[in-house]
């Protein structure tokens, strides 16, 4: 495959997006607006009772899922089955609906949240990424009175997290990296107050804090919402890739063609 063939293949893969038409810049502007809406304007009030998944994790997984489900039909576009399946608008709409439903199923892993009170904690996953969306239970209940001890664990091949050893049953692993720092801090402060037998373990293992007072000061000062240029660039890039992937999936499955007046070099 020569250079021109590679460029044509890449252009077809990304159609209708290219540096020579305005659509990609429109998506970039929309992504910047969405970033500030998601992170600053419609930010959830993180308080006692809920441990929320972080928006950065949701965006990162969203990029992977959207492009994975675009890559499958695109990579098989020349197969006899795919060509026959896409002959009618009905079959193309069915293909698009199947891709969207499968993507939603995969995204439930990052639409999860923990809910807790003074006695126990449960984990759930939402059907959609909205606060009031339907949800279902996805894990075992952690009963605070059943906790024997608490420690931090880290392995080379797995994501580090916190392990609760129980009086009855196997250890309960809690991985906070995919959840917002503030909601996890609030939970650990609550656990410190409720379970006096775990206080030494929490001060020793949780986030390398020297004392629980440092944790409480961090919560009170709300030192979590700050504009960071690195997070901004990654966030806008991730949102742009999701929008491009979704539009590209719709365009490909429905065989939509646009007429753009290209800006020649």
């Amino acid at each position: 495959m020569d250079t021109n063939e590679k460029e044509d293949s890449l252009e077809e893969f990304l159609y209708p997006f290219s540096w020579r038409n305005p659509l990609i810049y429109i998506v970039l502007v929309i992504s910047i607006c969405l970033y500030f809406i998601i992170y600053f304007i419609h930010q959830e009030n993180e308080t006692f009772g809920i441990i929320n998944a972080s928006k950065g994790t949701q965006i990162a997984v969203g990029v992977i899922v959207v492009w994975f489900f675009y890559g499958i039909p695109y990579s098989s576009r020349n197969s006899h089955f795919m060509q026959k399946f896409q002959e009618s608008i009905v079959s193309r709409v069915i293909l698009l609906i199947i891709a969207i439903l499968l993507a939603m199923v995969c995204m439930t892993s990052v639409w999860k949240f923990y809910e807790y009170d003074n006695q126990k904690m449960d984990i759930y996953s939402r059907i959609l990424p909205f606060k009031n969306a339907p949800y279902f239970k996805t894990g075992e209940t952690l009963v605070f009175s059943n906790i024997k001890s608490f420690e931090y664990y880290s392995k080379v091949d797995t994501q580090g997290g916190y392990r609760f050893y129980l009086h009855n049953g196997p250890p309960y692993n809690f991985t906070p990296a995919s959840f917002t720092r503030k909601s996890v801090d609030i939970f650990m402060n609550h656990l410190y107050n409720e379970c006096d037998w775990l206080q030494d373990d929490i001060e020793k293992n949780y986030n390398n804090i020297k004392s629980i007072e440092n944790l409480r000061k961090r919560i009170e000062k709300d030192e979590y919402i700050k504009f960071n240029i690195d997070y901004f660039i990654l966030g806008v890039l991730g949102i742009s890739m999701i929008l491009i992937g979704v539009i590209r999936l719709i365009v490909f499955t429905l065989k939509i063609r646009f007429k753009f007046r290209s800006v020649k070099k």
Side-chain angles (χ1 to χ4, degrees):
M1 184 182 291
D2 59 26
T3 303
N4 290 333
E5 289 177 339
K6 289 181 179 179
E7 289 180 355
D8 292 341
S9 177
L10 180 60
E11 188 170 324
E12 179 62 25
F13 178 76
L14 294 175
Y15 178 86
F17 295 94
S18 77
W19 299 114
R20 296 190 298 274
N21 72 56
L23 184 58
I24 192 169
Y25 303 103
I26 294 173
V27 168
L28 182 61
V29 172
I30 293 174
S31 299
I32 293 173
C33 295
L34 286 176
Y35 177 88
F36 285 102
I37 291 172
I38 292 170
Y39 279 89
F40 294 96
I41 297 177
H42 289 293
Q43 183 193 9
E44 292 185 11
N45 183 25
E46 296 177 289
T47 56
F48 169 84
I50 299 290
I51 303 177
N52 297 297
S54 68
K55 296 179 178 69
T57 300
Q58 293 177 349
I59 291 173
V61 176
V63 172
I64 296 172
V65 169
V66 167
W67 282 93
F68 177 77
F69 282 101
Y70 165 57
I72 290 177
Y74 182 83
S75 61
S76 58
R77 68 193 185 283
N78 295 324
S79 69
H80 178 72
F81 172 77
M82 181 62 72
Q83 290 176 354
K84 294 292 290 183
F85 193 78
Q86 286 189 287
E87 285 181 354
S88 71
I89 184 63
V90 174
S91 61
R92 294 199 297 271
V93 171
I94 291 174
L95 180 63
L96 178 61
I97 292 174
I98 291 174
I100 292 173
L101 290 176
L102 290 176
M104 287 173 58
V105 170
C106 293
M107 285 297 294
T108 57
S109 62
V110 291
W111 293 341
K112 63 183 180 180
F113 64 96
Y114 286 91
E115 188 175 69
Y116 62 91
D117 53 25
N118 293 331
Q119 299 179 358
K120 60 182 177 62
M121 179 170 69
D122 290 299
I123 184 170
Y124 302 92
S125 284
R126 293 186 174 92
I127 303 297
L128 293 170
F130 305 113
K131 184 177 181 180
N132 297 321
Y135 57 88
F136 56 94
K137 188 175 179 180
T138 58
E140 297 295 325
T141 299
L142 175 65
V143 179
F144 298 158
S145 61
N146 192 33
I147 302 174
K148 180 172 59 176
S149 61
F150 163 84
E151 72 169 2
Y152 173 80
Y153 71 91
S154 178
K155 295 181 180 179
V156 175
D157 57 342
T158 60
Q159 195 174 37
Y162 305 113
R163 178 170 293 140
F164 297 96
Y165 292 98
L166 309 178
H167 293 288
N168 297 309
Y172 186 100
N173 294 328
F174 172 53
T175 305
S178 58
F179 295 90
T180 64
R181 183 180 179 185
K182 182 178 180 180
S183 63
V184 175
D185 281 353
I186 292 173
F187 167 69
M188 295 307 300
N189 182 51
H190 169 69
L191 195 67
Y192 184 93
N193 295 331
E194 290 294 324
C195 307
D196 54 359
W197 66 93
L198 294 177
Q199 291 179 354
D200 290 340
D201 288 343
I202 292 174
E203 292 211 9
K204 178 182 178 181
N205 289 282
Y206 181 63
N207 213 23
N208 296 320
I209 59 173
K210 295 181 179 180
S211 71
I212 197 66
E213 291 303 320
N214 293 341
L215 176 65
R216 290 169 178 165
K217 289 177 182 178
R218 193 161 64 204
I219 296 171
E220 291 173 0
K221 292 181 180 179
D222 199 11
E223 299 176 346
Y224 305 90
I225 307 304
K226 293 181 178 180
F227 180 82
N228 184 296
I229 188 63
D230 295 332
Y231 291 159
F232 171 74
I233 293 173
L234 291 174
V236 170
L237 179 62
I239 295 171
S240 298
M241 291 183 67
I242 291 174
L243 293 177
I244 291 172
V246 170
I247 294 172
R248 186 63 192 94
L249 178 62
I250 294 172
V251 167
F252 174 75
T253 53
L254 299 184
K255 290 189 174 181
I256 300 172
R257 304 300 293 184
F258 297 92
K259 290 184 178 180
F260 289 109
R261 180 175 295 177
S262 298
V263 179
K264 295 182 179 180
K265 296 180 179 179

